[in-house]
Amino acid sequence: GVFSFEDDKKWLSLRYDLTAPLARYAAKNFDNLPRPFKRFQLGTVWRNEKPGPGRFREFLQFDADYVGTSNLFADSELCFLISEILKSCGLENNEFNIKISNRKLSKGLLEKLKIVSEEKQSATLRAIDKLDRVGLKGVQNLLGKGRKDKSGDFTKGAELDDFQIKNILNFLDIRNLAENNFEKLKKISEDNKIMNEGINELELMEKYFSLFNFENYIFDPTIVRGLEYYTGPIFEANLTFKVKNNKGQEIEFGSIGGGGRYDDLVKRFNNQECPSTGISVGLDRLIYVILQKKKIKV
């Protein structure tokens, strides 16, 4: 999804997000930054993907991050922050929710199913990430040979075997981790250390949410987030109402914000341990939604 092009025999790449530049800054100023270092930033980013209603190749993004803390209270506060941002923009509690999962669940599942190559792992996670957009059947195709969309474009699949696909689809059947669904997840994880770490972290975040009196969230293990640098808790802000395109047709809009924990990203630049977490909100997408609900006038 990085937007790259050749200019005068030199390849140039446009900024994909604000998190990687933050990690470089934190690595360069590692000894001088207070920890945790809290920052927010507003900036333009670019994506090389097919445009659509509320989905742009160039858009304004708002980020908020904690750099230098492994305390999951930070992750819980960021989820609460996304909720407060959306309410401040005019959305009601019943018009959105914050979906939360943990990257260790999908990582542990891949380990259990012996999906070891980076290429297959990436293809598998990308397939799971498209569940809301393409449905279970679409994900099944993407885990297998591949999928052709309505436009005729073909996406190559992860080419997993039937046993692996069946177990992943069983995992995706657990949508909302309310009531006894944590127990269902523990049954799937069995003695897998990574998955159990993820479950314990989700249960801890639930305790922190109670301190904020924050209830507008759903634990959903199908959330994986597309970026590969996430290492722990991940979250997405999703709408609960339908959005219309320019032709008046109702469409699946997807998330309008999200983020997660990226404990190893700063370390890639300076080999120093620096656990971090952050959120991003696409302002252009958010404005598109607010205009749909007639929350503001133009």
Side-chain angles (χ1 to χ4, degrees):
V2 176
F3 213 129
S4 299
F5 58 92
E6 194 172 12
D7 180 47
D8 193 23
K9 297 183 180 180
K10 292 182 180 178
W11 277 98
L12 303 176
S13 295
L14 300 178
R15 182 169 61 183
Y16 182 87
D17 66 9
L18 304 178
T19 309
L22 170 66
R24 287 196 297 269
Y25 174 83
K28 184 178 179 180
N29 299 277
F30 189 81
D31 294 330
N32 300 319
L33 285 182
R35 282 187 280 279
F37 172 60
K38 298 169 69 175
R39 84 86 161 90
F40 67 88
Q41 182 179 353
L42 195 66
T44 305
V45 296
W46 290 263
R47 302 287 166 84
N48 188 11
E49 58 184 32
K50 187 182 296 185
R55 186 174 294 277
F56 312 101
R57 286 185 166 180
E58 177 183 343
F59 59 95
L60 201 60
Q61 187 167 288
F62 166 79
D63 275 26
D65 292 80
Y66 272 96
V67 176
T69 179
S70 58
N71 193 328
L72 296 187
F73 189 86
D75 304 70
S76 305
E77 184 179 10
L78 290 173
C79 293
F80 180 64
L81 175 61
I82 299 180
S83 176
E84 292 298 290
I85 289 172
L86 298 183
K87 287 195 290 184
S88 296
C89 290
L91 296 183
E92 305 292 337
N93 263 332
N94 63 351
E95 293 178 326
F96 70 92
N97 54 46
I98 311 301
K99 291 187 175 182
I100 299 159
S101 185
N102 195 302
R103 201 60 178 265
K104 292 177 181 178
L105 300 182
S106 52
K107 183 178 179 182
L109 184 65
L110 295 178
E111 182 183 85
K112 276 191 65 173
L113 297 177
K114 296 180 171 54
I115 303 172
V116 294
S117 79
E118 287 189 14
E119 183 181 357
K120 286 203 172 192
Q121 287 185 358
S122 296
T124 301
L125 292 177
R126 285 197 301 269
I128 295 173
D129 194 39
K130 293 178 180 177
L131 177 63
D132 286 338
R133 217 179 313 162
V134 303
L136 268 177
K137 184 62 178 178
V139 172
Q140 183 176 352
N141 291 336
L142 288 170
L143 293 173
K145 299 296 183 182
R147 175 182 178 271
K148 183 183 289 187
D149 64 20
K150 292 180 180 179
S151 70
D153 289 342
F154 181 79
T155 302
K156 184 182 176 183
E159 298 186 341
L160 304 183
D161 62 41
D162 291 342
F163 175 80
Q164 292 169 327
I165 293 173
K166 180 182 177 181
N167 278 272
I168 291 172
L169 294 180
N170 287 340
F171 172 75
L172 296 182
D173 266 342
I174 306 176
R175 298 305 302 270
N176 181 9
L177 292 183
E179 300 175 357
N180 66 338
N181 278 346
F182 267 121
E183 297 306 315
K184 292 179 183 177
L185 193 56
K186 289 175 182 177
K187 188 175 181 180
I188 290 177
S189 67
E190 294 177 332
D191 58 351
N192 185 276
K193 181 181 178 181
I194 298 175
M195 290 189 79
N196 285 320
E197 281 180 9
I199 294 170
N200 292 338
E201 289 177 0
L202 289 176
E203 291 180 318
L204 180 58
M205 287 183 68
E206 187 171 38
K207 293 179 181 178
Y208 288 147
F209 286 150
S210 65
L211 300 177
F212 292 107
N213 293 319
F214 175 52
E215 298 179 346
N216 193 20
Y217 63 88
I218 296 173
F219 285 119
D220 185 346
T222 65
I223 301 297
V224 297
R225 301 290 294 169
L227 294 172
E228 295 180 9
Y229 53 60
Y230 290 124
T231 58
I234 45 180
F235 14 91
E236 281 189 357
N238 287 272
L239 304 178
T240 57
F241 60 90
K242 294 290 185 179
V243 174
K244 293 182 179 180
N245 61 18
N246 296 332
K247 297 179 181 179
Q249 301 167 325
E250 290 188 341
I251 57 170
E252 291 295 333
F253 197 70
S255 69
I256 52 176
R261 177 159 287 277
Y262 48 96
D263 285 346
D264 299 328
L265 191 57
V266 177
K267 186 179 179 180
R268 296 185 190 183
F269 297 101
N270 67 353
N271 207 30
Q272 297 266 19
E273 295 291 341
C274 190
S276 307
T277 185
I279 63 160
S280 299
V281 178
L283 293 191
D284 300 66
R285 288 174 64 75
L286 180 55
I287 290 170
Y288 188 92
V289 168
I290 293 172
L291 289 173
Q292 293 262 318
K293 299 300 289 184
K294 296 181 172 59
K295 301 290 186 181
I296 58 175
K297 294 180 181 180
V298 293

